[in-house]
Amino acid sequence: MPEPVVLEMQGAIARITVNNPPVNALCHAVRAGLLDCVRRADRDTGVDGIVIVCAGRTFIAGADISEFGKPPREPILHDVLAAIERASKPVVAAIHGTALGGGLELALCCHYRVATSDARIGLPEVKLGLLPGAGGTQRLPRVLGVEAALDAMLTGRMLDAPGVAERGDGAIDAVLDGSIADASVNWLRGRLAESLPLRRVRDMPVPGNADAAVFERFETRAARETRGQFAPRQIIACVRAATELDFDEGLKFERARFGECMQNPQSGAMRHLFFAEREAARIPDVPRDTPRRPINAAAVVGAGTMGAGIAMCFANAGIPVTLTDASSEALNRAVARIRDNYDRSAARGRLDTQTVERRMGLITAEAGLHVASRADLVVEAVYEDLELKKQIFAELARECRDDAILATNTSTLDVNQIAASTTTPERVLGLHFFSPANVMRLVEVVRGQTTANDVLATAMGLVRRLRKVGVVSGVCYGFIGNRMLEGYAREAGFLLLEGVSPERIDRVMRDFGFPMGPLQMGDLAGNDVGARVRAERRAAGELPEDPRYGRVHDRLAELGRHGQKSGKGLYRYGEDGRTPEPDPEVERLIREEAEALGVKPREVSDREILERCLLPLINEGLAILEEGIALRASDIDIVWVNGYGFPVYEGGPMYYAEQLGLGHVLERLRHYGRTLGNAFDYWTPAPLLEQLAAQRLALKDWTRD
Ligand code: CAA
């Protein structure tokens, strides 16, 4: 093992190189090595200045997250940073790649920061339920100002080094060309004469006058954008402290708040998701070095809302895409919708007009399936109709090159049957995007019985290139996400019949942390769609013979109450077409249906609402795991957090279940089976749940034999 930190002399400059692949995280060995090298260089009278640089793909990307939750080992990061800041000679942080979290905090303790033109900096701790706990909340406002620093820390967004350098406030002192390791040494040589007295960020005043109104504005924003999260409020309090306390008091304040964040269960959940997301990319029987097919051109078949959104995903990632449809009117509408979407982003300042034009330039719209012959990958996104999809795939297989990948965006249909309609089923798989496709991060990558390994690996790589998160799912009705949704929606519908108001059901689930409740979500997805799927499944004998099942929503669909898109569904929608309002007509309808079915109104507690919605979802997750539809429990968490708005700070349904205790989950399922009846097996625990609870095994320790 090479030393993780080495010191070499470059004339009178000591160059300290951190080499801890893959991202130079500040693990114990790196902290110890840095402290030792900085102290040695500082003591050495032959050293005039020090450069800290990193080997490999990036500057230090932060503390080592895998060490969190374990007992701290000295030297702690604070001691390393203090030694750097207190050095008697100028220290330069030479940044390439990304300087994140503790990495940026270390750079802020250096006396200068230089960077490559493609370097980025950021304090993403909020995404882990933490705050920058090594002085970041005290030092970043001193170089960027309160508002820019708060914006960076509350969103966790990275900032481009050249943009930061242009501000001229000392956050980045220079952008250098050529090898950063050499260029930074030369740069420091040119600065030595004017470097004393050393400039320390801690001694700088916080610029501007951040009054109470600024903090209030950020509080309001945090309450809206990171509702229910603990860390954002602590970050704001720390930055406020930076403006009110002296530096060392501010540091103490930050440290105490950091400890609170670390102790808070939210951080454990969010760290779980960090690793879960990376784990999702691993497919046990598809090695990482599986060759991938080049994807330089894509085609999307079907110019509806989904197809247009998927085309945007390709254009956003710089991949030329042809959108095709049988109807040229639909194509024109889709292009107009895409243009409108980009223009609105530009109007909000999120995109510049050049980017809009570049992306529009990557999208071609042309009628006829023959256009797919130019594509390396085709995504079919037509109406959910198995026969239609089979026909399209048979034709695509004839039109496309032999090595082109054929994907279906179906959310419910059998990918194996679709694949079987082609002569080359090994190149077929599902790419299930979530709506709106250009916004939602999740893509379920559905592996059919015959999908070739390189096709799957290419699809996973592509999803990453689209800056989304891919989760592998086996073939079953609804795949991972929609299959679990079924029990959630079912119980919400039953609760309505039992006399619980829609607003209350949705409120309880929002209070838990979902951005919207199940009934609002149904109105957004469209009651007509749900009713159609139910009718087909009922005809195929796939639904329980329970007259209550989907009853309220089927009636709504019959009445043309399709949801938000028709101005009324379970709710009615006011002027803006988006704000749900209770509708007495629906209350009456629910009462009539309940009477017809003989369902009596009951007293239902908030706890029952929450449990009745969540427990079936969790139980189905365990069944999915046992059947091998999901590769691992944490994949299910990624699906629900990224596709359905399950609160990040609960870590996803499987992580949440584990926190509740699997034994407790089992006991509550049995409780509802006893009290509500279990004629349709709604409350029958998944065998895996019984097994894990009996053996007191954690989900992550369970392996399928
Ligand atoms: N600690 C431990 N491991 C880390 C890590 C960290 N800070 N950052 C990344 N890794 C690991 C990943 O788990 C992954 O491991 P596997 O290959 O085994 O899955 C590997 O490094 C590569 O990571 P990515 O797949 O994410 O690579 P990427 O090139 O897509 O992205 C990155 C690189 C932008 C640095 C991204 O990994 C990232 O955002 N990392 C987290 C950065 C972060 O949150 N830093 C703050 C840490 S908290 C902190 O510093 C607290 C403090 O105040 C002291």
Side-chain angles (χ1 to χ4, degrees):
M1 277 285 279
E3 284 292 310
V5 186
V6 290
L7 186 158
E8 308 152 274
M9 291 307 296
Q10 302 279 309
I13 304 293
R15 185 166 68 194
I16 297 174
T17 306
V18 178
N19 186 7
N20 179 29
V23 297
N24 290 311
L26 288 160
C27 66
H28 173 255
V30 170
R31 295 196 303 274
L34 270 170
L35 186 62
D36 176 56
C37 290
V38 169
R39 280 185 178 154
R40 266 175 29 222
D42 198 27
R43 276 198 304 264
D44 187 340
T45 50
V47 171
D48 291 340
I50 301 168
V51 166
I52 299 178
V53 67
C54 289
R57 66 199 223 207
T58 181
F59 193 74
I60 298 163
D64 186 338
I65 304 170
S66 63
E67 285 183 356
F68 289 177
K70 298 181 185 154
R73 279 178 73 192
E74 298 208 331
I76 61 166
L77 187 55
H78 283 264
D79 297 338
V80 181
L81 301 198
I84 294 171
E85 193 168 53
R86 279 198 221 112
S88 56
K89 303 159 185 180
V91 185
V92 177
I95 300 171
H96 77 292
T98 47
L100 300 178
L104 177 58
E105 291 175 301
L106 179 143
L108 288 169
C109 289
C110 296
H111 309 107
Y112 296 108
R113 285 152 293 281
V114 296
T116 56
S117 58
D118 56 356
R120 287 177 299 163
I121 62 169
L123 291 175
E125 285 84 346
V126 72
K127 295 184 185 166
L128 301 169
L130 295 172
L131 55 82
T137 65
Q138 305 303 297
R139 290 191 182 91
L140 198 63
R142 286 177 155 81
V143 288
L144 283 191
V146 164
E147 297 198 35
L150 269 175
D151 187 68
M153 286 187 270
L154 290 173
T155 58
R157 261 199 295 269
M158 297 191 219
L159 307 173
D160 293 332
V164 177
E166 258 171 42
R167 300 163 55 107
D169 39 20
I172 300 282
D173 295 287
V175 174
L176 304 181
D177 293 328
S179 143
I180 187 76
D182 297 330
S184 52
V185 169
N186 288 334
W187 186 87
L188 177 57
R189 281 198 187 109
R191 279 288 168 295
L192 284 175
E194 61 195 64
S195 64
L196 293 174
L198 289 174
R199 182 194 62 173
R200 295 192 172 93
V201 172
R202 58 173 288 137
D203 301 330
M204 297 177 179
V206 178
N209 50 348
D211 54 21
V214 170
F215 291 105
E216 267 165 39
R217 212 174 60 239
F218 277 98
E219 294 271 7
T220 310
R221 194 178 124 187
R224 191 178 62 240
E225 291 176 5
T226 45
R227 192 169 60 92
Q229 292 186 32
F230 181 73
R233 277 173 288 142
Q234 310 311 313
I235 291 174
I236 297 170
C238 288
V239 174
R240 193 189 268 263
T243 65
E244 290 169 356
L245 306 178
D246 79 25
F247 184 81
D248 287 319
E249 286 302 312
L251 262 194
K252 260 193 230 155
F253 186 89
E254 177 196 85
R255 217 162 153 178
R257 296 295 173 119
F258 180 79
E260 284 174 35
C261 288
M262 195 58 116
Q263 294 302 317
N264 192 296
Q266 291 193 355
S267 177
M270 291 164 85
R271 279 181 268 140
H272 157 76
L273 289 172
F274 175 84
F275 288 113
E277 192 173 319
R278 278 140 190 95
E279 188 68 20
R282 285 189 249 275
I283 312 164
D285 61 332
V286 181
R288 274 200 166 184
D289 56 1
T290 302
R292 294 175 184 189
R293 303 184 186 189
I295 306 291
N296 297 317
V300 177
V301 180
T305 314
M306 218 43 207
I310 296 170
M312 286 175 79
C313 298
F314 285 107
N316 296 351
I319 302 172
V321 55
T322 307
L323 186 58
T324 181
D325 198 289
S327 141
S328 40
E329 261 172 45
L331 280 173
N332 292 340
R333 267 199 313 272
V335 173
R337 196 179 313 130
I338 294 172
R339 156 75 65 190
D340 182 54
N341 207 307
Y342 280 141
D343 284 346
R344 268 186 287 134
S345 297
R348 285 197 210 114
R350 293 199 188 141
L351 285 182
D352 57 45
T353 47
Q354 267 173 323
T355 310
V356 171
E357 294 315 320
R358 199 176 53 243
R359 292 183 183 178
M360 284 306 296
L362 287 169
I363 301 174
T364 316
E366 208 178 319
L369 276 188
H370 63 280
V371 299
S373 63
R374 300 194 289 262
D376 300 314
L377 177 134
V378 186
V379 183
E380 163 279 312
V382 303
Y383 197 73
E384 277 301 77
D385 176 327
L386 186 61
E387 287 315 310
L388 175 64
K389 289 195 191 247
K390 281 173 151 176
Q391 228 176 332
I392 288 177
F393 270 76
E395 202 174 330
L396 281 176
R398 284 192 297 273
E399 293 285 353
C400 293
R401 274 200 334 265
D402 287 349
D403 59 347
I405 294 177
L406 309 181
T408 170
N409 180 52
T410 182
S411 51
T412 51
L413 300 174
D414 185 340
V415 174
N416 292 330
Q417 285 197 47
I418 295 173
S421 65
T422 72
T423 44
T424 47
E426 66 283 353
R427 58 164 160 162
V428 176
L429 83 173
L431 281 180
H432 179 213
F433 288 77
F434 285 67
S435 187
N438 53 312
V439 177
M440 300 295 283
R441 277 190 83 215
L442 178 69
V443 179
E444 284 178 321
V445 179
V446 186
R447 181 181 198 173
Q449 256 162 14
T450 46
T451 306
N453 280 2
D454 69 324
V455 170
L456 187 64
T458 305
M460 288 297 278
L462 170 74
V463 170
R464 195 175 151 100
R465 222 170 124 198
L466 301 182
R467 286 186 289 276
K468 294 186 185 286
V469 48
V471 174
V472 176
S473 170
V475 177
C476 67
Y477 173 81
F479 313 124
I480 298 174
N482 281 345
R483 178 166 155 186
M484 289 168 69
L485 185 66
E486 203 174 331
Y488 179 63
R490 177 194 75 215
E491 289 304 312
F494 290 175
L495 286 163
L496 289 173
L497 291 171
E498 289 162 37
V500 187
S501 73
E503 308 87 85
R504 187 162 162 233
I505 298 169
D506 280 341
R507 197 254 308 144
V508 168
M509 299 319 290
R510 274 199 313 273
D511 285 352
F512 175 71
F514 279 100
M516 60 177 89
L519 302 167
Q520 280 173 282
M521 193 161 82
D523 266 3
L524 192 65
N527 291 323
D528 50 334
V529 183
R532 205 171 46 234
V533 172
R534 270 192 301 281
E536 280 169 18
R537 297 195 69 208
R538 205 167 270 132
E542 290 172 8
L543 290 186
E545 285 184 18
D546 178 352
R548 297 171 303 161
Y549 194 99
R551 174 78 163 237
V552 171
H553 283 85
D554 284 344
R555 290 284 293 124
L556 292 172
E558 280 164 32
L559 294 171
R561 299 190 68 116
H562 293 163
Q564 251 191 49
K565 62 186 169 193
S566 60
K568 50 188 183 171
L570 192 76
Y571 294 100
R572 61 178 178 204
Y573 293 86
E575 289 277 287
D576 63 358
R578 296 172 64 172
T579 312
E581 290 165 13
D583 189 338
E585 232 180 83
V586 173
E587 280 168 37
R588 207 165 39 245
L589 177 146
I590 296 172
R591 265 200 314 275
E592 282 166 13
E593 293 303 319
E595 269 167 39
L597 291 162
V599 181
K600 301 229 160 27
R602 298 173 52 240
E603 280 296 318
V604 176
S605 66
D606 282 2
R607 176 184 179 189
E608 177 173 336
I609 296 172
L610 184 71
E611 289 186 332
R612 289 211 18 216
C613 289
L614 288 186
L615 292 175
L617 185 160
I618 291 168
N619 199 33
E620 199 62 42
L622 280 137
I624 280 173
L625 199 57
E626 191 166 16
E627 289 170 27
I629 297 296
L631 290 172
R632 48 186 87 82
S634 60
D635 280 9
I636 298 176
D637 291 333
I638 293 297
V639 166
W640 268 80
V641 164
N642 292 286
Y644 299 84
F646 198 97
V648 283
Y649 52 81
E650 298 290 1
M654 297 293 109
Y655 182 88
Y656 175 71
E658 203 123 52
Q659 305 312 301
L660 290 176
L662 296 180
H664 175 80
V665 171
L666 179 65
E667 188 262 310
R668 295 306 291 166
L669 280 168
R670 286 183 178 146
H671 163 83
Y672 287 111
R674 277 193 309 272
T675 54
L676 301 171
N678 195 27
F680 300 99
D681 269 341
Y682 297 145
W683 302 102
T684 304
L688 179 61
L689 176 61
E690 306 219 33
Q691 181 197 331
L692 292 174
Q695 296 175 350
R696 294 181 183 275
L697 259 182
L699 275 166
K700 68 175 169 39
D701 297 328
W702 171 76
T703 48
R704 205 173 294 111
D705 294 323

